[in-house]
Amino acid sequence: MNLYDVYPLFDIEISKGRGCKVWDTAGQEYLDFYGGHAVISIGHCHPHYVESLSKQASRLGFYSNSVVNSLQRQLARRLGQVCGYEDFRLFLVNSGAEANENALKLASFHTGRRRILAARKAFHGRTSLAVESTDNPRIVAPVNAGGHVTFLPLNDLEAFRAELQKGDVAAVIVECIQGVGGIRMVTPGFMQGLRQACDETGAVLICDEIQCGYGRSGKFFAHQHLSIRPDLITVAKGIGNGFPLAAVLIGPQFEASYGQLGTTFGGNHLACAAALAVLDVMEQENLVANAAETGRYLMERLQELNLPGVTDVRGRGLMIGIEFAHPVKEIRSRLVHEQHVFTGAASTDILRLLPPLCLSRDEADDFLERLTKAV
C-alpha cells in the first residue's frame, strides 16, 4: 500500500528539533520559520514539555470522557486565567476544523438558525460546515455545498450589517488575522461594528483563533488587539505544540446539555498534559511578550531592507506576510535548499512567517541574512 498523494513535499525528512531549529536525516540544520504550520508555539522538544508528556504516558495515556479527567479541569482553569476568559467554559476536541465545526453547531443550536456569514479568503477547515465556510471552492466537495454560508468582503461592515439585518444568521465566523488568506488584518472599526450588529440581531460572533491565537499576535488572542469580546473562540495548533488538541471557548450564555456535543479522543490525558506544559512555558518564558517584541523588530527590519520585488510587509507579532510582485515558489525553494530555512506561503505571491514564539532576536537577524541571499 502507498500513501494517498495529496501533499506537495520537499524531499527532506526532519528527524529532530530543538527550539527554532530542526535537523534532517542527513544532519543538516534548518531555521524553522514555519513552525510546522504555526503549530510549534513553545519551540521544538522543550525539556519541560517532553518531561510532562513522558511522565503522563508512564501513568495513563488515555481513557474516555465517560469518567472524570482532572487534567481537563486544570486546563480549563489555567487557560481561563491566562487568556482572561474565566467565565467561559471549555470543550476539547482534536483539530481546528473540529473546533470550528462544533462552534458553528453551538451557534445554530443557540439561535435555531441555519445561515452563516464568513469573509472572503477565509479558511476554517476541511470538515462539513468548516469547509463550507472556507472560501476555496476547490476543496468543497458536492456533499459539503449545503448553501448555509454567505461570503462577504473582509472589513466591509455595511455588507455584513445588511445580511445580519435579514434576521436569519446563526453565526458570523472571522479570523482576526487571515492566515491562508494572506496575512490580511481585520480593522478595529470593523470588528467593533460587527460585535454591535451581532448583538442587535441575535447572531453569534465566533473568532477563529486557530492560527492567529495562542500568543502568536503578541496578545493571547488576536481579537484582544481590537477591543471586542466574542461569543465563541476556537483554538488549536499552538495549544498542544504538536500534540493534536483543539478547543472551543464557550461564553456563559450558551446552555449545555448531555449528548449535545461529543468526542472520543478530545481532551485525552496526554493531550491535556501537553497543553498544561505549553501554558507553563508560555508563562515562565514570557513568550507572548516575546512574540510582540521580536515580531515588531522583525517587521521593522523587513521594511527597512526594502528587498527587490517586495510590495508589502504586514502582520502582527510572529505572524508576518511578505508580499512579492511575483510568485514566491522559487524563493521558498532557495530558502530551503540553499539557505536552509523553512517558511510558509499564502496564495502564490506571499511568504508566510510563523516561527515558534521563542524566536530570539539573533535568530531573527540570521533569518534576515538568509532571506536577503535567497531574494
Side-chain angles (χ1 to χ4, degrees):
M1 183 182 294
N2 291 319
L3 293 172
Y4 194 56
D5 189 11
V6 294
Y7 299 116
L9 301 176
F10 290 115
D11 190 19
I12 297 166
E13 183 176 357
I14 299 302
S15 60
K16 67 176 183 178
R18 178 70 67 176
C20 294
K21 294 178 180 177
V22 294
W23 287 261
D24 66 19
T25 50
Q28 176 62 56
E29 178 186 289
Y30 297 81
L31 190 58
D32 185 8
F33 260 64
Y34 189 46
H37 201 70
V39 166
I40 302 302
S41 50
I42 62 172
H44 294 278
C45 298
H46 191 286
H48 177 65
Y49 177 85
V50 173
E51 181 184 18
S52 297
L53 271 174
S54 300
K55 283 184 176 178
Q56 183 58 48
S58 71
R59 289 192 294 266
L60 178 68
F62 176 81
Y63 203 79
S64 77
N65 285 308
S66 61
V67 297
V68 171
N69 180 348
S70 63
L71 293 174
Q72 291 182 350
R73 298 180 180 188
Q74 288 178 46
L75 178 57
R77 184 172 62 253
R78 286 278 306 284
L79 181 55
Q81 291 168 349
V82 171
C83 74
Y85 284 96
E86 292 183 78
D87 59 334
F88 274 47
R89 289 152 297 160
L90 191 66
F91 179 67
L92 294 162
V93 289
N94 307 284
S95 69
E98 288 176 75
N100 283 334
E101 195 80 24
N102 281 283
L104 292 165
K105 285 172 62 178
L106 276 173
S108 186
F109 281 136
H110 183 70
T111 62
R113 302 172 185 173
R114 295 168 52 101
R115 202 152 72 94
I116 299 161
L117 303 184
R120 289 282 172 203
K121 299 191 176 182
F123 187 95
H124 297 296
R126 294 176 181 267
T127 57
S128 179
L129 275 175
V131 78
E132 192 181 340
S133 303
T134 292
D135 188 23
N136 182 355
R138 189 171 62 86
I139 66 170
V140 181
V143 73
N144 300 130
H148 301 98
V149 182
T150 302
F151 292 102
L152 301 168
L154 188 69
N155 292 321
D156 188 340
L157 180 57
E158 292 312 309
F160 277 82
R161 274 183 175 151
E163 292 296 326
L164 283 163
Q165 286 166 1
K166 295 178 181 179
D168 62 346
V169 174
V172 183
I173 184 166
V174 180
E175 303 158 275
C176 291
I177 306 173
Q178 287 188 335
V180 175
I183 315 297
R184 301 190 184 278
M185 315 290 288
V186 171
T187 65
F190 170 74
M191 283 305 292
Q192 291 161 16
L194 189 58
R195 173 70 278 177
Q196 181 180 1
C198 286
D199 288 340
E200 291 168 353
T201 59
V204 172
L205 179 58
I206 304 170
C207 280
D208 177 341
E209 294 274 354
I210 287 162
Q211 188 168 141
C212 60
Y214 239 78
R216 181 156 296 281
S217 73
K219 289 186 181 289
F220 199 89
F221 291 128
H223 71 260
Q224 291 171 326
H225 292 278
L226 308 170
S227 301
I228 63 106
R229 178 181 163 101
D231 302 305
L232 298 168
I233 305 164
T234 56
V235 298
K237 295 189 183 295
I239 187 175
N241 197 56
F243 200 100
L245 182 63
V248 188
L249 280 65
I250 301 167
Q253 69 270 39
F254 294 87
E255 185 177 347
S257 61
Y258 290 138
Q260 180 188 52
L261 304 176
T263 173
T264 297
F265 297 106
N268 66 73
H269 295 74
L270 281 172
C272 288
L276 286 164
V278 167
L279 289 177
D280 289 342
V281 175
M282 288 181 73
E283 288 188 284
Q284 291 164 9
E285 300 185 8
N286 297 313
L287 293 189
V288 178
N290 185 69
E293 293 163 12
T294 308
R296 189 180 304 113
Y297 172 76
L298 188 54
M299 285 268 292
E300 290 171 355
R301 287 293 317 280
L302 282 165
Q303 289 162 344
E304 290 167 3
L305 281 175
N306 196 25
L307 292 170
V310 172
T311 59
D312 193 21
V313 177
R314 58 181 176 266
R316 184 169 277 140
L318 290 174
M319 187 173 182
I320 297 172
I322 308 172
E323 186 168 358
F324 285 78
H326 51 74
V328 297
K329 183 177 180 180
E330 186 179 344
I331 291 172
R332 282 189 74 211
S333 180
R334 287 202 297 268
L335 278 168
V336 170
H337 296 295
E338 298 173 13
Q339 300 302 321
H340 308 301
V341 181
F342 284 109
T343 62
S347 66
T348 60
D349 57 351
I350 298 166
L351 278 182
R352 190 162 31 143
L353 309 183
L354 304 163
L357 308 187
C358 58
L359 185 77
S360 70
R361 188 167 290 203
D362 285 346
E363 287 167 330
D365 286 335
D366 187 9
F367 166 76
L368 292 165
E369 185 178 340
R370 300 190 203 195
L371 175 65
T372 302
K373 291 176 181 176
V375 171

